[in-house]
Amino acid sequence: MTSVLLTGFEPFDGAKINPSWQAVSQAREDFDGAAELHVAELPVEFARCGAALAAALDRTRPDLVIAVGQAGGRAGITLERVAINIDDARIPDNAGDQPVDVPVVADGPAAYFSTLPIKSCVAELHRTGVPASVSQTAGTFTCNHVFYRLMHELAGGRGRRGDGSGPRGGFVHVPFAPEQVPDGTRPSMSVATIAAALQTIVHTSLAVHVDERLPGGATH
Amino acid sequence: MTSVLLTGFEPFDGAKINPSWQAVSQAREDFDGAAELHVAELPVEFARCGAALAAALDRTRPDLVIAVGQAGGRAGITLERVAINIDDARIPDNAGDQPVDVPVVADGPAAYFSTLPIKSCVAELHRTGVPASVSQTAGTFTCNHVFYRLMHELAGGRGRRGDGSGPRGGFVHVPFAPEQVPDGTRPSMSVATIAAALQTIVHTSLAVHVDERLPGGATH
Amino acid sequence: MTSVLLTGFEPFDGAKINPSWQAVSQAREDFDGAAELHVAELPVEFARCGAALAAALDRTRPDLVIAVGQAGGRAGITLERVAINIDDARIPDNAGDQPVDVPVVADGPAAYFSTLPIKSCVAELHRTGVPASVSQTAGTFTCNHVFYRLMHELAGGRGRRGDGSGPRGGFVHVPFAPEQVPDGTRPSMSVATIAAALQTIVHTSLAVHVDERLPGGATH
Amino acid sequence: MTSVLLTGFEPFDGAKINPSWQAVSQAREDFDGAAELHVAELPVEFARCGAALAAALDRTRPDLVIAVGQAGGRAGITLERVAINIDDARIPDNAGDQPVDVPVVADGPAAYFSTLPIKSCVAELHRTGVPASVSQTAGTFTCNHVFYRLMHELAGGRGRRGDGSGPRGGFVHVPFAPEQVPDGTRPSMSVATIAAALQTIVHTSLAVHVDERLPGGATH
């Protein structure tokens, strides 16, 4: 049976919740599809999040991996296009580490592109009424770190099958939950909506093997 | 029985929907409380919206009036504090009129304050997990026009009872619905959440007669 | 000779500077025109700023008064349209006071409109290449307090001449100075540009007695 | 003598000016330093901008190349960190082309990092009072295209000297000029300030060969 891994993150930067993990948990409870859906909560620690991801990959042997993180301030679901090989922490992580201008993987390539059908996912989310777009940057914090580690593992052959094909993977950023911005000065999205969106992304990624060519870029 | 009037607006500026009317309609369907809830859809026309409001007041003889409009770009429910005596249309209304620097009511006072318990409403919305705040401006378009007209009518004695008390009223701005901002570059809120918020505002306004003194201001 | 009073504010909320006072000082140094330009720095204290303004009015007997304050986050010069009769402090002032829902002037009217030619000022600023617009709210902090106090004094006859005419007045909000937002995540404007803009506003206000009817409103 | 190449872009998307070219031209006029400063205006056309860049490289044989483009909506100077190997045009370019999900260079690597001392440049800009930060994305339009083409040329050995060292290069995004946003609803920066900032970036890039490790990242 097809195996899918969804990861979320623990709270960070003093927050009490992280909507990425709340929505991933909700998506597993609600999941309705012909696949086995596994989830993992990753630490917001540069030193440990990569190993935690690797352990989850070993444990679940997924065909599809979607890592999810919080992008506070964004108003829609964003499908990340590219992971870059740099850690540059604006704030300390949950262990107090703050790496600056250190590669995620020494001697790794500068970047990896997502292998999810990101344009098809955006189009399908629009069909279901959920604001969504492609994002050209996942930042330089633990979200990008996990995204880069994931793509590096998959590019390196982890989980590759006898026919040469391997698991696909990518990263999705989600807005604040409403409780994180009580005064409404920044956008938010309900965890239920985010969880439904993650299901849509899983279904679309399982169904679509050649992404649609739809504009999803940015002028800057 | 207590009578409550909720008004929303028709779509404008080329939009297909107006979430204010959608949410007002939904709130009436869902309404659960010891009051009679009436609704009216107002035209986005300076020349007609005031008369449409007055007709709805005559028809429903409300104890409480909450006018609702769309504030595209805001991320939360906003309880308007003040209506000002000016029409200054940045865009033409649905009849093609674009008044500039004309008073809403000739010889009317410069402004009226809302008589809703706006701070209590914000606090109660926070308790229910809905982003909300007080707003210091309802703009200078048809929303402010209807708000000013409403407060002018109430100040003038319309609906006053034998004991000297009269209906209370105010204005609430609501975010875009998700379908209006498919790419998520601007905030949105589901119509179901907005409708639930309107119910919360109705219940709070009926229950609270002396508003709480909670900070809700802006430095500019 | 025509007398003009420009006021700025001292720093607040932990800032080291306040661009309103820096620009007002600079405008006085640079001023080139057939008028006497007086300036005053007002305290960011609800209890004292009104009296400081009144003292400056007594001292300078102005024909034109333009009070200036900082609106951190705005990208252009904003000509305020209306002052409202409420203090509602989101943060404590420099004396630690935080009034909530207290009128600026007990029994004063709900609001006063600026008597500056705000549309003409915006148009003239555009001609000189300075981003500018009309603002529909001056907030509910000390800026609005001083604005309301100013208009209340002028409406009450302070400085009225034998022919019945009196001084004109209004409020202008200015952006952060660049040094206040080093990372550029929020807009800023150089103090030199702000000072030149204030001169433009003074000259336009002295020259224009009937404001132009140009759209300058907001839909919300 | 040291040779420096600055490139800007022509106007696009219906605009009358492009502040990148205006500031590059101004920087050449004002330039004060022990280097020869060359400039080139590039077309906003995917099919031609790369060749125009290559021609300018051939003509000027620079030791340092800084390509500059407009990032409308940003409030500060941004030093771009990374160029990615994708064209995805949200709007048509000046020739009417709108490539979607096409690599900039077939079989090129996924990304290149800037070889400018971007952190030192930001620090120096702050010392001179100019809002600035590192950006994690140059978009997917012609700015990113030129940036990627530039780094690909330099990585491929163009201009390499006998000692194995080669030219350094990178990309800088600049805000709108004030005349592009008359109403001040989006941030702007004067062309004079942008031109001075470009000079600062040139001087810093010539002087600093090992970048400082200063935080300049983003959480998303």
Side-chain angles (χ1 to χ4, degrees), chain B residues 71-72 74 81 88 90 100-101 110-111 119 136-137 139-141 213-218 220, chain C residues 71-72 74 81 88 90 100-101 110-111 119 136-137 139-141 213-218 220:
Chain B
R74 293 190 190 166
R81 189 195 290 269
D88 186 357
R90 193 176 56 73
V100 170
D101 294 348
K119 302 295 182 73
Q136 325 303 333
T137 174
T140 58
F141 199 58
R213 281 217 180 166
L214 300 167
H220 59 262
Chain C
R74 292 191 190 165
R81 188 196 291 269
D88 186 358
R90 194 176 55 74
V100 171
D101 293 349
K119 301 297 181 72
Q136 325 304 331
T137 175
T140 58
F141 200 58
R213 281 218 179 164
L214 300 167
H220 59 263

mmCIF file of all heavy atoms in Angstrom, chain B residues 71-72 74 81 88 90 100-101 110-111 119 136-137 139-141 213-218 220, chain C residues 71-72 74 81 88 90 100-101 110-111 119 136-137 139-141 213-218 220:
data_model
loop_
_atom_site.group_PDB
_atom_site.id
_atom_site.type_symbol
_atom_site.label_atom_id
_atom_site.label_comp_id
_atom_site.label_asym_id
_atom_site.label_seq_id
_atom_site.Cartn_x
_atom_site.Cartn_y
_atom_site.Cartn_z
ATOM 1 N N ALA B 71 -14.370 44.905 4.237
ATOM 2 C CA ALA B 71 -13.136 45.692 4.295
ATOM 3 C C ALA B 71 -12.012 44.816 3.734
ATOM 4 O O ALA B 71 -11.289 44.140 4.470
ATOM 5 C CB ALA B 71 -12.828 46.125 5.724
ATOM 6 N N GLY B 72 -11.915 44.825 2.405
ATOM 7 C CA GLY B 72 -10.933 43.964 1.738
ATOM 8 C C GLY B 72 -9.513 44.323 2.148
ATOM 9 O O GLY B 72 -9.101 45.470 1.974
ATOM 10 N N ARG B 74 -8.327 43.673 5.337
ATOM 11 C CA ARG B 74 -8.226 43.466 6.786
ATOM 12 C C ARG B 74 -8.280 41.966 7.071
ATOM 13 O O ARG B 74 -8.937 41.223 6.375
ATOM 14 C CB ARG B 74 -9.353 44.196 7.523
ATOM 15 C CG ARG B 74 -9.227 45.718 7.418
ATOM 16 C CD ARG B 74 -10.195 46.436 8.358
ATOM 17 N NE ARG B 74 -10.213 47.875 8.063
ATOM 18 C CZ ARG B 74 -11.129 48.733 8.504
ATOM 19 N NH1 ARG B 74 -12.118 48.291 9.277
ATOM 20 N NH2 ARG B 74 -11.072 50.023 8.188
ATOM 21 N N ARG B 81 -15.582 52.279 15.368
ATOM 22 C CA ARG B 81 -15.808 53.157 16.511
ATOM 23 C C ARG B 81 -16.610 54.398 16.130
ATOM 24 O O ARG B 81 -17.440 54.863 16.903
ATOM 25 C CB ARG B 81 -14.458 53.620 17.052
ATOM 26 C CG ARG B 81 -14.549 54.371 18.362
ATOM 27 C CD ARG B 81 -13.256 55.130 18.681
ATOM 28 N NE ARG B 81 -12.131 54.291 19.023
ATOM 29 C CZ ARG B 81 -11.816 53.922 20.264
ATOM 30 N NH1 ARG B 81 -12.559 54.289 21.260
ATOM 31 N NH2 ARG B 81 -10.755 53.150 20.482
ATOM 32 N N ASP B 88 -16.535 60.592 0.320
ATOM 33 C CA ASP B 88 -15.381 60.872 -0.543
ATOM 34 C C ASP B 88 -15.014 59.541 -1.198
ATOM 35 O O ASP B 88 -14.281 58.732 -0.640
ATOM 36 C CB ASP B 88 -14.215 61.436 0.285
ATOM 37 C CG ASP B 88 -13.047 61.890 -0.597
ATOM 38 O OD1 ASP B 88 -13.113 61.730 -1.830
ATOM 39 O OD2 ASP B 88 -12.056 62.393 -0.035
ATOM 40 N N ARG B 90 -13.402 56.916 -3.512
ATOM 41 C CA ARG B 90 -12.175 56.637 -4.263
ATOM 42 C C ARG B 90 -12.496 55.990 -5.607
ATOM 43 O O ARG B 90 -11.765 56.136 -6.578
ATOM 44 C CB ARG B 90 -11.281 55.706 -3.430
ATOM 45 C CG ARG B 90 -9.873 55.555 -3.910
ATOM 46 C CD ARG B 90 -9.047 54.699 -2.970
ATOM 47 N NE ARG B 90 -9.604 53.375 -2.736
ATOM 48 C CZ ARG B 90 -9.595 52.379 -3.622
ATOM 49 N NH1 ARG B 90 -9.062 52.546 -4.808
ATOM 50 N NH2 ARG B 90 -10.120 51.201 -3.325
ATOM 51 N N VAL B 100 -17.450 63.537 -3.932
ATOM 52 C CA VAL B 100 -16.175 63.894 -3.313
ATOM 53 C C VAL B 100 -16.401 65.064 -2.358
ATOM 54 O O VAL B 100 -16.868 66.134 -2.775
ATOM 55 C CB VAL B 100 -15.132 64.274 -4.383
ATOM 56 C CG1 VAL B 100 -13.887 64.880 -3.736
ATOM 57 C CG2 VAL B 100 -14.759 63.058 -5.211
ATOM 58 N N ASP B 101 -16.107 64.830 -1.099
ATOM 59 C CA ASP B 101 -16.176 65.885 -0.074
ATOM 60 C C ASP B 101 -17.545 66.525 0.022
ATOM 61 O O ASP B 101 -17.690 67.755 0.087
ATOM 62 C CB ASP B 101 -15.078 66.927 -0.322
ATOM 63 C CG ASP B 101 -13.698 66.324 -0.111
ATOM 64 O OD1 ASP B 101 -13.619 65.208 0.430
ATOM 65 O OD2 ASP B 101 -12.703 66.953 -0.493
ATOM 66 N N ALA B 110 -20.156 66.455 12.903
ATOM 67 C CA ALA B 110 -18.988 65.904 12.207
ATOM 68 C C ALA B 110 -18.912 64.389 12.320
ATOM 69 O O ALA B 110 -18.421 63.725 11.402
ATOM 70 C CB ALA B 110 -17.709 66.535 12.759
ATOM 71 N N ALA B 111 -19.407 63.838 13.419
ATOM 72 C CA ALA B 111 -19.264 62.393 13.617
ATOM 73 C C ALA B 111 -20.228 61.878 14.661
ATOM 74 O O ALA B 111 -20.773 62.638 15.470
ATOM 75 C CB ALA B 111 -17.827 62.064 14.036
ATOM 76 N N LYS B 119 -15.872 47.135 22.704
ATOM 77 C CA LYS B 119 -14.769 46.467 23.407
ATOM 78 C C LYS B 119 -15.204 45.087 23.917
ATOM 79 O O LYS B 119 -14.450 44.120 23.841
ATOM 80 C CB LYS B 119 -14.274 47.324 24.582
ATOM 81 C CG LYS B 119 -13.803 48.720 24.183
ATOM 82 C CD LYS B 119 -12.593 48.679 23.301
ATOM 83 C CE LYS B 119 -12.078 50.079 22.930
ATOM 84 N NZ LYS B 119 -11.407 50.781 24.021
ATOM 85 N N GLN B 136 -10.663 52.482 13.873
ATOM 86 C CA GLN B 136 -10.904 53.909 14.126
ATOM 87 C C GLN B 136 -11.456 54.607 12.882
ATOM 88 O O GLN B 136 -11.690 55.815 12.909
ATOM 89 C CB GLN B 136 -9.607 54.601 14.571
ATOM 90 C CG GLN B 136 -8.676 53.776 15.422
ATOM 91 C CD GLN B 136 -9.274 53.233 16.706
ATOM 92 O OE1 GLN B 136 -10.200 53.809 17.256
ATOM 93 N NE2 GLN B 136 -8.760 52.102 17.170
ATOM 94 N N THR B 137 -11.601 53.888 11.765
ATOM 95 C CA THR B 137 -12.186 54.522 10.582
ATOM 96 C C THR B 137 -12.948 53.498 9.754
ATOM 97 O O THR B 137 -12.452 52.404 9.482
ATOM 98 C CB THR B 137 -11.129 55.197 9.689
ATOM 99 O OG1 THR B 137 -11.783 55.672 8.483
ATOM 100 C CG2 THR B 137 -10.014 54.249 9.287
ATOM 101 N N GLY B 139 -13.837 54.373 6.758
ATOM 102 C CA GLY B 139 -13.630 54.891 5.412
ATOM 103 C C GLY B 139 -14.541 56.067 5.109
ATOM 104 O O GLY B 139 -15.105 56.698 6.015
ATOM 105 N N THR B 140 -14.696 56.344 3.814
ATOM 106 C CA THR B 140 -15.539 57.476 3.390
ATOM 107 C C THR B 140 -16.418 57.066 2.211
ATOM 108 O O THR B 140 -16.839 57.902 1.414
ATOM 109 C CB THR B 140 -14.660 58.679 2.968
ATOM 110 O OG1 THR B 140 -13.794 58.248 1.910
ATOM 111 C CG2 THR B 140 -13.835 59.198 4.125
ATOM 112 N N PHE B 141 -16.684 55.750 2.106
ATOM 113 C CA PHE B 141 -17.479 55.222 0.995
ATOM 114 C C PHE B 141 -18.882 54.874 1.527
ATOM 115 O O PHE B 141 -19.327 55.454 2.515
ATOM 116 C CB PHE B 141 -16.733 54.003 0.424
ATOM 117 C CG PHE B 141 -17.144 53.604 -0.964
ATOM 118 C CD1 PHE B 141 -17.057 54.496 -2.027
ATOM 119 C CD2 PHE B 141 -17.598 52.319 -1.232
ATOM 120 C CE1 PHE B 141 -17.423 54.119 -3.316
ATOM 121 C CE2 PHE B 141 -17.970 51.935 -2.511
ATOM 122 C CZ PHE B 141 -17.884 52.832 -3.556
ATOM 123 N N ARG B 213 -13.975 48.681 29.672
ATOM 124 C CA ARG B 213 -12.906 49.618 29.315
ATOM 125 C C ARG B 213 -11.630 48.834 29.059
ATOM 126 O O ARG B 213 -10.809 48.633 29.953
ATOM 127 C CB ARG B 213 -12.673 50.626 30.433
ATOM 128 C CG ARG B 213 -13.701 51.728 30.417
ATOM 129 C CD ARG B 213 -13.064 53.055 30.807
ATOM 130 N NE ARG B 213 -14.086 54.096 30.771
ATOM 131 C CZ ARG B 213 -13.946 55.284 31.300
ATOM 132 N NH1 ARG B 213 -12.810 55.589 31.920
ATOM 133 N NH2 ARG B 213 -14.903 56.179 31.207
ATOM 134 N N LEU B 214 -11.482 48.419 27.850
ATOM 135 C CA LEU B 214 -10.296 47.657 27.435
ATOM 136 C C LEU B 214 -9.587 48.451 26.355
ATOM 137 O O LEU B 214 -10.235 49.035 25.491
ATOM 138 C CB LEU B 214 -10.730 46.308 26.854
ATOM 139 C CG LEU B 214 -11.512 45.398 27.797
ATOM 140 C CD1 LEU B 214 -12.154 44.257 27.021
ATOM 141 C CD2 LEU B 214 -10.578 44.853 28.868
ATOM 142 N N PRO B 215 -8.247 48.476 26.386
ATOM 143 C CA PRO B 215 -7.544 49.219 25.330
ATOM 144 C C PRO B 215 -7.912 48.683 23.954
ATOM 145 O O PRO B 215 -7.961 47.463 23.739
ATOM 146 C CB PRO B 215 -6.060 48.966 25.631
ATOM 147 C CG PRO B 215 -6.011 48.574 27.077
ATOM 148 C CD PRO B 215 -7.309 47.849 27.343
ATOM 149 N N GLY B 216 -8.178 49.582 23.031
ATOM 150 C CA GLY B 216 -8.529 49.162 21.681
ATOM 151 C C GLY B 216 -8.172 50.241 20.682
ATOM 152 O O GLY B 216 -8.731 50.303 19.596
ATOM 153 N N GLY B 217 -7.213 51.063 21.060
ATOM 154 C CA GLY B 217 -6.884 52.213 20.240
ATOM 155 C C GLY B 217 -5.741 51.960 19.275
ATOM 156 O O GLY B 217 -5.249 50.854 19.131
ATOM 157 N N ALA B 218 -5.355 53.038 18.602
ATOM 158 C CA ALA B 218 -4.260 53.002 17.637
ATOM 159 C C ALA B 218 -3.383 54.217 17.875
ATOM 160 O O ALA B 218 -3.886 55.286 18.237
ATOM 161 C CB ALA B 218 -4.804 53.026 16.212
ATOM 162 N N HIS B 220 -1.827 55.695 15.571
ATOM 163 C CA HIS B 220 -2.066 56.564 14.416
ATOM 164 C C HIS B 220 -3.037 55.865 13.464
ATOM 165 O O HIS B 220 -3.292 54.682 13.607
ATOM 166 C CB HIS B 220 -0.777 56.909 13.659
ATOM 167 C CG HIS B 220 -0.057 55.699 13.149
ATOM 168 N ND1 HIS B 220 0.999 55.134 13.819
ATOM 169 C CD2 HIS B 220 -0.255 54.930 12.069
ATOM 170 C CE1 HIS B 220 1.425 54.069 13.152
ATOM 171 N NE2 HIS B 220 0.679 53.917 12.103
ATOM 172 N N ALA C 71 3.819 58.525 12.156
ATOM 173 C CA ALA C 71 2.932 57.383 11.908
ATOM 174 C C ALA C 71 3.786 56.242 11.383
ATOM 175 O O ALA C 71 3.918 56.047 10.174
ATOM 176 C CB ALA C 71 1.835 57.745 10.926
ATOM 177 N N GLY C 72 4.391 55.523 12.302
ATOM 178 C CA GLY C 72 5.312 54.442 11.930
ATOM 179 C C GLY C 72 4.615 53.368 11.123
ATOM 180 O O GLY C 72 3.624 52.800 11.575
ATOM 181 N N ARG C 74 3.502 53.940 7.902
ATOM 182 C CA ARG C 74 2.972 54.576 6.687
ATOM 183 C C ARG C 74 4.147 54.939 5.772
ATOM 184 O O ARG C 74 5.219 55.292 6.249
ATOM 185 C CB ARG C 74 2.163 55.831 7.027
ATOM 186 C CG ARG C 74 0.866 55.487 7.769
ATOM 187 C CD ARG C 74 -0.053 56.702 7.868
ATOM 188 N NE ARG C 74 -1.172 56.405 8.785
ATOM 189 C CZ ARG C 74 -1.977 57.307 9.308
ATOM 190 N NH1 ARG C 74 -1.816 58.589 9.005
ATOM 191 N NH2 ARG C 74 -2.964 56.970 10.136
ATOM 192 N N ARG C 81 -7.700 64.030 8.060
ATOM 193 C CA ARG C 81 -8.972 64.670 7.758
ATOM 194 C C ARG C 81 -9.740 65.041 9.015
ATOM 195 O O ARG C 81 -10.399 66.077 9.040
ATOM 196 C CB ARG C 81 -9.821 63.711 6.918
ATOM 197 C CG ARG C 81 -11.092 64.308 6.377
ATOM 198 C CD ARG C 81 -12.077 63.253 5.882
ATOM 199 N NE ARG C 81 -11.665 62.554 4.691
ATOM 200 C CZ ARG C 81 -11.960 62.915 3.437
ATOM 201 N NH1 ARG C 81 -12.647 64.000 3.221
ATOM 202 N NH2 ARG C 81 -11.562 62.181 2.420
ATOM 203 N N ASP C 88 -7.679 56.658 23.624
ATOM 204 C CA ASP C 88 -7.680 55.211 23.852
ATOM 205 C C ASP C 88 -6.265 54.731 23.527
ATOM 206 O O ASP C 88 -5.937 54.452 22.376
ATOM 207 C CB ASP C 88 -8.724 54.535 22.967
ATOM 208 C CG ASP C 88 -8.873 53.040 23.272
ATOM 209 O OD1 ASP C 88 -8.144 52.529 24.139
ATOM 210 O OD2 ASP C 88 -9.718 52.394 22.621
ATOM 211 N N ARG C 90 -3.110 52.549 23.213
ATOM 212 C CA ARG C 90 -2.692 51.160 23.055
ATOM 213 C C ARG C 90 -1.451 50.862 23.887
ATOM 214 O O ARG C 90 -1.228 49.742 24.323
ATOM 215 C CB ARG C 90 -2.401 50.894 21.562
ATOM 216 C CG ARG C 90 -2.269 49.447 21.187
ATOM 217 C CD ARG C 90 -2.068 49.282 19.677
ATOM 218 N NE ARG C 90 -0.950 50.032 19.143
ATOM 219 C CZ ARG C 90 0.348 49.709 19.304
ATOM 220 N NH1 ARG C 90 0.667 48.660 20.017
ATOM 221 N NH2 ARG C 90 1.286 50.449 18.759
ATOM 222 N N VAL C 100 -8.089 55.079 28.606
ATOM 223 C CA VAL C 100 -8.887 54.216 27.723
ATOM 224 C C VAL C 100 -10.319 54.735 27.692
ATOM 225 O O VAL C 100 -10.979 54.799 28.731
ATOM 226 C CB VAL C 100 -8.850 52.751 28.207
ATOM 227 C CG1 VAL C 100 -9.855 51.903 27.421
ATOM 228 C CG2 VAL C 100 -7.449 52.169 28.050
ATOM 229 N N ASP C 101 -10.748 55.100 26.511
ATOM 230 C CA ASP C 101 -12.137 55.514 26.300
ATOM 231 C C ASP C 101 -12.538 56.684 27.178
ATOM 232 O O ASP C 101 -13.614 56.680 27.803
ATOM 233 C CB ASP C 101 -13.077 54.313 26.472
ATOM 234 C CG ASP C 101 -12.856 53.300 25.351
ATOM 235 O OD1 ASP C 101 -12.159 53.630 24.377
ATOM 236 O OD2 ASP C 101 -13.366 52.170 25.456
ATOM 237 N N ALA C 110 -18.217 65.142 18.836
ATOM 238 C CA ALA C 110 -17.575 63.863 18.544
ATOM 239 C C ALA C 110 -16.322 64.036 17.698
ATOM 240 O O ALA C 110 -15.382 63.240 17.826
ATOM 241 C CB ALA C 110 -18.568 62.936 17.838
ATOM 242 N N ALA C 111 -16.286 65.042 16.848
ATOM 243 C CA ALA C 111 -15.142 65.176 15.949
ATOM 244 C C ALA C 111 -15.053 66.576 15.382
ATOM 245 O O ALA C 111 -16.034 67.351 15.408
ATOM 246 C CB ALA C 111 -15.260 64.170 14.795
ATOM 247 N N LYS C 119 -6.665 68.419 0.308
ATOM 248 C CA LYS C 119 -6.576 67.879 -1.053
ATOM 249 C C LYS C 119 -5.547 68.649 -1.870
ATOM 250 O O LYS C 119 -4.779 68.075 -2.639
ATOM 251 C CB LYS C 119 -7.942 67.921 -1.739
ATOM 252 C CG LYS C 119 -9.046 67.137 -1.015
ATOM 253 C CD LYS C 119 -8.759 65.671 -0.950
ATOM 254 C CE LYS C 119 -9.855 64.868 -0.264
ATOM 255 N NZ LYS C 119 -11.074 64.719 -1.029
ATOM 256 N N GLN C 136 -7.867 59.025 6.941
ATOM 257 C CA GLN C 136 -9.191 59.169 7.558
ATOM 258 C C GLN C 136 -9.134 58.976 9.065
ATOM 259 O O GLN C 136 -10.164 59.038 9.739
ATOM 260 C CB GLN C 136 -10.189 58.175 6.949
ATOM 261 C CG GLN C 136 -10.025 57.881 5.468
ATOM 262 C CD GLN C 136 -10.051 59.092 4.550
ATOM 263 O OE1 GLN C 136 -10.686 60.095 4.863
ATOM 264 N NE2 GLN C 136 -9.364 59.005 3.410
ATOM 265 N N THR C 137 -7.970 58.656 9.610
ATOM 266 C CA THR C 137 -7.860 58.517 11.064
ATOM 267 C C THR C 137 -6.479 58.901 11.539
ATOM 268 O O THR C 137 -5.473 58.473 10.967
ATOM 269 C CB THR C 137 -8.173 57.080 11.542
ATOM 270 O OG1 THR C 137 -7.910 57.025 12.967
ATOM 271 C CG2 THR C 137 -7.328 56.034 10.859
ATOM 272 N N GLY C 139 -5.691 58.123 14.591
ATOM 273 C CA GLY C 139 -5.536 57.244 15.746
ATOM 274 C C GLY C 139 -6.275 57.774 16.961
ATOM 275 O O GLY C 139 -7.186 58.622 16.847
ATOM 276 N N THR C 140 -5.894 57.246 18.126
ATOM 277 C CA THR C 140 -6.553 57.638 19.381
ATOM 278 C C THR C 140 -5.521 57.893 20.472
ATOM 279 O O THR C 140 -5.824 57.765 21.658
ATOM 280 C CB THR C 140 -7.528 56.527 19.848
ATOM 281 O OG1 THR C 140 -6.783 55.309 20.000
ATOM 282 C CG2 THR C 140 -8.646 56.312 18.861
ATOM 283 N N PHE C 141 -4.287 58.213 20.047
ATOM 284 C CA PHE C 141 -3.187 58.447 20.990
ATOM 285 C C PHE C 141 -2.940 59.966 21.097
ATOM 286 O O PHE C 141 -3.856 60.758 20.850
ATOM 287 C CB PHE C 141 -1.962 57.670 20.480
ATOM 288 C CG PHE C 141 -0.902 57.407 21.517
ATOM 289 C CD1 PHE C 141 -1.191 56.709 22.681
ATOM 290 C CD2 PHE C 141 0.413 57.839 21.313
ATOM 291 C CE1 PHE C 141 -0.194 56.464 23.619
ATOM 292 C CE2 PHE C 141 1.412 57.599 22.248
ATOM 293 C CZ PHE C 141 1.108 56.911 23.409
ATOM 294 N N ARG C 213 -11.582 69.914 -4.994
ATOM 295 C CA ARG C 213 -12.378 68.705 -4.785
ATOM 296 C C ARG C 213 -11.753 67.566 -5.562
ATOM 297 O O ARG C 213 -12.117 67.300 -6.712
ATOM 298 C CB ARG C 213 -13.817 68.911 -5.238
ATOM 299 C CG ARG C 213 -14.621 69.671 -4.229
ATOM 300 C CD ARG C 213 -16.044 69.135 -4.153
ATOM 301 N NE ARG C 213 -16.792 69.887 -3.152
ATOM 302 C CZ ARG C 213 -18.097 69.870 -3.059
ATOM 303 N NH1 ARG C 213 -18.807 69.157 -3.919
ATOM 304 N NH2 ARG C 213 -18.703 70.548 -2.115
ATOM 305 N N LEU C 214 -10.821 66.894 -4.938
ATOM 306 C CA LEU C 214 -10.142 65.767 -5.569
ATOM 307 C C LEU C 214 -10.429 64.524 -4.735
ATOM 308 O O LEU C 214 -10.438 64.601 -3.499
ATOM 309 C CB LEU C 214 -8.630 66.016 -5.576
ATOM 310 C CG LEU C 214 -8.179 67.269 -6.335
ATOM 311 C CD1 LEU C 214 -6.733 67.588 -6.004
ATOM 312 C CD2 LEU C 214 -8.348 67.026 -7.828
ATOM 313 N N PRO C 215 -10.645 63.379 -5.375
ATOM 314 C CA PRO C 215 -10.904 62.177 -4.577
ATOM 315 C C PRO C 215 -9.728 61.901 -3.641
ATOM 316 O O PRO C 215 -8.564 61.982 -4.039
ATOM 317 C CB PRO C 215 -11.031 61.075 -5.637
ATOM 318 C CG PRO C 215 -11.359 61.788 -6.916
ATOM 319 C CD PRO C 215 -10.677 63.123 -6.820
ATOM 320 N N GLY C 216 -10.023 61.593 -2.403
ATOM 321 C CA GLY C 216 -8.967 61.290 -1.443
ATOM 322 C C GLY C 216 -9.490 60.379 -0.352
ATOM 323 O O GLY C 216 -8.961 60.341 0.745
ATOM 324 N N GLY C 217 -10.521 59.631 -0.691
ATOM 325 C CA GLY C 217 -11.181 58.816 0.315
ATOM 326 C C GLY C 217 -10.682 57.391 0.370
ATOM 327 O O GLY C 217 -9.731 57.020 -0.309
ATOM 328 N N ALA C 218 -11.354 56.606 1.207
ATOM 329 C CA ALA C 218 -11.017 55.190 1.382
ATOM 330 C C ALA C 218 -12.307 54.393 1.376
ATOM 331 O O ALA C 218 -13.336 54.876 1.854
ATOM 332 C CB ALA C 218 -10.284 54.977 2.702
ATOM 333 N N HIS C 220 -12.741 51.756 3.042
ATOM 334 C CA HIS C 220 -12.915 51.305 4.428
ATOM 335 C C HIS C 220 -11.740 51.784 5.265
ATOM 336 O O HIS C 220 -10.725 52.195 4.717
ATOM 337 C CB HIS C 220 -13.022 49.776 4.522
ATOM 338 C CG HIS C 220 -11.828 49.047 3.988
ATOM 339 N ND1 HIS C 220 -11.817 48.537 2.703
ATOM 340 C CD2 HIS C 220 -10.622 48.794 4.511
ATOM 341 C CE1 HIS C 220 -10.626 47.976 2.498
ATOM 342 N NE2 HIS C 220 -9.883 48.129 3.566
#
